[in-house]
C-alpha cells in the first residue's frame, strides 16, 4: 500500500468572495468530507474496500489523503471532482 494525495477540483465558493476565512475553510472541509463518502461508496461498489487502509481527516483544503493500493487510487482518479491523484511516499513498511 502507498500514501496518496487526492487533489479535488476547488469548487466555486461564494464564501471566497464575500465570506470569512472560516467560511471558506468550513466549505472546503465539507467538500473533502463529501468526497470521502463518495469514494468509499465507489470503492465498495467495485469490491475494493479491502484495498484501502484508511482516509485522512478532511480539513480546510480541497485535498484528501489515504493509504491504498494503486488499483484503488486508479478508481479514485476517475471520480467526478478529482483533479489529480498523486502517490506521496515509498512503499509502506520499508525503510531506506
Amino acid at each position: 500500500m502507498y500514501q496518496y494525495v487526492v487533489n479535488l477540483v476547488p469548487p466555486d465558493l461564494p464564501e471566497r468572495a464575500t465570506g470569512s476565512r472560516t467560511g471558506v475553510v468550513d466549505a472546503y472541509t465539507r467538500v473533502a468530507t463529501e468526497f470521502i463518502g463518495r469514494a468509499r461508496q465507489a470503492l465498495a461498489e467495485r469490491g475494493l474496500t479491502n484495498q484501502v487502509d484508511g482516509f485522512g481527516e478532511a480539513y480546510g483544503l480541497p485535498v484528501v489523503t489515504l493509504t491504498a493500493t494503486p488499483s484503488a487510487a486508479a478508481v479514485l482518479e476517475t471520480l467526478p471532482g478529482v483533479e489529480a491523484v498523486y502517490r506521496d511516499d515509498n512503499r509502506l513498511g520499508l525503510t531506506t
Side-chain angles (χ1 to χ4, degrees):
M1 292 211 183
Y2 297 92
Q3 289 287 108
Y4 288 92
V5 175
V6 180
N7 288 349
L8 303 174
V9 175
D12 186 21
L13 298 174
E15 293 93 335
R16 286 173 48 190
T18 61
S20 68
R21 180 180 171 123
T22 301
V24 173
V25 169
D26 290 347
Y28 280 154
T29 300
R30 273 193 313 278
V31 166
T33 300
E34 290 167 3
F35 172 77
I36 291 170
R38 289 192 315 273
R40 287 182 192 278
Q41 181 179 358
L43 292 165
E45 289 169 359
R46 291 165 177 83
L48 297 174
T49 304
N50 64 340
Q51 294 190 31
V52 176
D53 194 34
F55 285 88
E57 185 176 337
Y59 58 94
L61 294 170
V63 172
V64 172
T65 60
L66 72 146
T67 303
T69 64
S71 297
V75 168
L76 298 182
E77 201 164 27
T78 68
L79 296 180
V82 173
E83 186 174 71
V85 177
Y86 301 99
R87 198 170 100 193
D88 191 37
D89 71 351
N90 294 326
R91 191 176 238 340
L92 294 178
L94 298 179
T95 59
T96 56

